[in-house]
Amino acid sequence: MENCPEETEIAVKKIEKEMLELVKKDLEISSKHISYTEAVELLTKLGLKQTLKQMDYTCPPRVKVNILEDFYDIYFGPLVQSTGVLKIFELMPYAEGFLLRFPAKNNPNKLTEFVDQPKLFEVYHNYKEWGKRLDVTSVADLNKLVIERKINDFIDITETLQQKCISKIATQIARKSTAKVVLIAGPSSSGKTTTSKKLSLELQALGINPKVISLDCYYVDHTRTPRDKDGNFDFECLEALDIDLLNQNLVDLFNGKEVIIPTYNFHTGTQSFEEKNRMSLKEDEILIMEGIHGLNDKLTPKIPPELKFKIYLSALTQLNLDDHNRISTSDNRLIRRIVRDYQFRGKTAAGTIAMWPSVRNGEEQHIFPFQNNADAILNTALDYELSVLKVYADPLLRCVKPTEPEYAEACQLLKFLDNFATIAPTAVPPRSIIREFIGGSAFKY
């Protein structure tokens, strides 16, 4: 974390003091609906330019506004009933501004320990600056491009930027002449599979021939698979993988030996070895492995650091809904997952939403703590993607019944997606990461 100027620290302390006063007063937060005309007048008075701009593309007949004493505002997410509930938070100087920390919604009474992620912040900061240069920083800006039929150029620009970032990482790998294995990790639906394939092409352009090994091949038999607290198989813990076999295979490959890569059958829960899966590694070849434990050195304890290159993926959208309503990275990935699970696994939106807390818990334990171990970080978000995913996600979310526990979350996601003008899936390039979720990719999965 960078040292902040003294004036920033003073300002942060003043803001924190005011926030604590609001908590102490326990002021009621209420809401009411007003007409479109009244909302436009209110937003103009408040100077909320992006929110006002978004009204041009949604045009609701009635607008819900939130009220705190004589202050009116629009917020798209759920709100607490009074300021007294918001007693658990932390305000701290960070970089050129400040950081507001608050509890996760699944544990609202506890603030987790702060862990600085400077590499991730730098990637996000650079992406925000890129958005400002293109003058596309909000959903209203994106919708404007859609309405004015200028979205195709923006799609090309965003895809080109991401490809340039992948190309840069490939160059970093090539410069690390000792690297023999590229380990790619990231949370669910961060685009690990497509990134592996796009990175492979970039490496080949540099004269390096990649071979891919899936970590899924190294799951142990069900008889050895650990179980979680509910008694279900825990495929996300490190112990679910055959670490000894993986490391022995890697050591043998790096020593010029031939090995048989195992195959794992998810239906029977068994591991097998077939002659067709024999593999060796030539001098100009490199391994690529993607999986949630890639950045954890306990995955590859027998492999010296100089032989490894680690990449962390994260879908960090730089867009905001408007002046002060941000887009959740987790919600972005959940919508990706809902679409992919239905397209390729036949799972309902309710089914994906139901398992999401468990997925997020696994990420907190096995992925996020190792972000700083990465040699490179790639942002896999594409600013236009939610306008495409909406085409698929909207009807799936509307099928969640009011009698199902996932109904409230489905309604919240539908309300969120209502802010986006749709983009036809045909506008998505065949090798885009988005194709991993909607289908029609030029890559074979």
Side-chain angles (χ1 to χ4, degrees), residues 33 50 93 120 172 213 222 265 339 378 387 435:
H33 286 85
Q50 290 295 336
L120 198 63
Q172 287 179 258
I213 295 180
H222 273 186
N265 188 316
V339 173
L378 176 69
S387 290
R435 289 286 174 192

Side-chain angles (χ1 to χ4, degrees), residues 28-34 39 42-43 46 48 51 63-82 322 324-325 412 415:
E28 180 187 7
I29 300 173
S30 60
S31 63
K32 70 175 183 178
H33 286 85
I34 60 177
L42 175 63
L43 294 171
L46 292 172
L48 298 177
T51 311
V63 179
K64 182 179 179 182
V65 295
N66 306 300
I67 308 164
L68 178 64
E69 291 191 313
D70 59 349
F71 180 75
Y72 288 73
D73 200 0
I74 292 178
Y75 183 69
F76 296 103
L79 292 170
V80 296
Q81 69 274 17
S82 70
D322 59 12
H324 53 283
N325 284 272
Q412 190 63 37
K415 185 179 178 182

Side-chain angles (χ1 to χ4, degrees), residues 42 86 93 182 184 198 266 333 372:
L42 175 63
L86 305 171
V182 178
I184 301 178
K198 297 180 87 166
F266 280 91
R333 291 190 293 108
N372 282 336

Side-chain angles (χ1 to χ4, degrees), residues 202-317:
E202 292 288 346
L203 288 171
Q204 288 178 67
L206 296 174
I208 301 171
N209 296 311
K211 285 189 174 180
V212 179
I213 295 180
S214 173
L215 285 178
D216 289 356
C217 296
Y218 286 90
Y219 277 121
V220 297
D221 289 349
H222 273 186
T223 55
R224 297 166 55 197
T225 305
R227 295 181 181 268
D228 60 21
K229 57 183 177 62
D230 297 319
N232 301 316
F233 288 121
D234 187 356
F235 291 106
E236 300 201 6
C237 69
L238 190 64
E239 292 74 21
L241 297 173
D242 194 333
I243 303 298
D244 291 337
L245 177 61
L246 170 64
N247 280 264
Q248 188 58 55
N249 281 171
L250 292 178
V251 170
D252 288 343
L253 285 169
F254 299 155
N255 287 331
K257 297 180 181 178
E258 192 175 60
V259 302
I260 298 179
I261 303 299
T263 300
Y264 184 78
N265 188 316
F266 280 91
H267 295 291
T268 62
T270 57
Q271 193 181 65
S272 61
F273 298 86
E274 303 174 18
E275 281 295 321
K276 65 178 182 179
N277 293 328
R278 282 191 174 276
M279 177 187 286
S280 59
L281 208 60
K282 298 177 182 177
E283 189 65 30
D284 64 343
E285 292 178 331
I286 192 170
L287 290 177
I288 294 180
M289 295 199 306
E290 58 99 348
I292 65 172
H293 299 288
L295 304 188
N296 186 348
D297 284 326
K298 290 183 179 179
L299 176 73
T300 52
K302 294 184 179 179
I303 309 305
E306 62 270 19
L307 299 185
K308 296 184 278 191
F309 190 96
K310 302 173 187 174
I311 304 173
Y312 178 72
L313 308 185
S314 187
L316 297 168
T317 179

Side-chain angles (χ1 to χ4, degrees), residues 78-124:
L79 292 170
V80 296
Q81 69 274 17
S82 70
T83 59
V85 179
L86 305 171
K87 62 184 71 175
I88 302 175
F89 70 90
E90 180 182 15
L91 202 64
M92 57 186 291
Y94 190 89
E96 299 172 356
F98 64 86
L99 187 65
L100 173 60
R101 300 183 63 242
F102 46 87
K105 63 181 180 181
N106 61 342
N107 192 4
N109 298 315
K110 183 180 179 181
L111 192 66
T112 58
E113 181 183 354
F114 173 67
V115 179
D116 195 11
Q117 304 287 355
K119 294 179 181 178
L120 198 63
F121 174 76
E122 182 181 3
V123 170
Y124 177 70

Side-chain angles (χ1 to χ4, degrees), residues 18-19 24 67 87 125 129 136 140 163 185 188 195 240 254 281 283 307 316 319 321 327 333 395:
E18 290 294 326
M19 292 174 71
K24 185 177 180 181
I67 308 164
K87 62 184 71 175
H125 176 73
E129 292 300 312
V136 182
Q163 191 61 42
S188 175
T195 299
F254 299 155
L281 208 60
E283 189 65 30
L307 299 185
L316 297 168
L319 289 180
L321 282 176
I327 293 177
R333 291 190 293 108

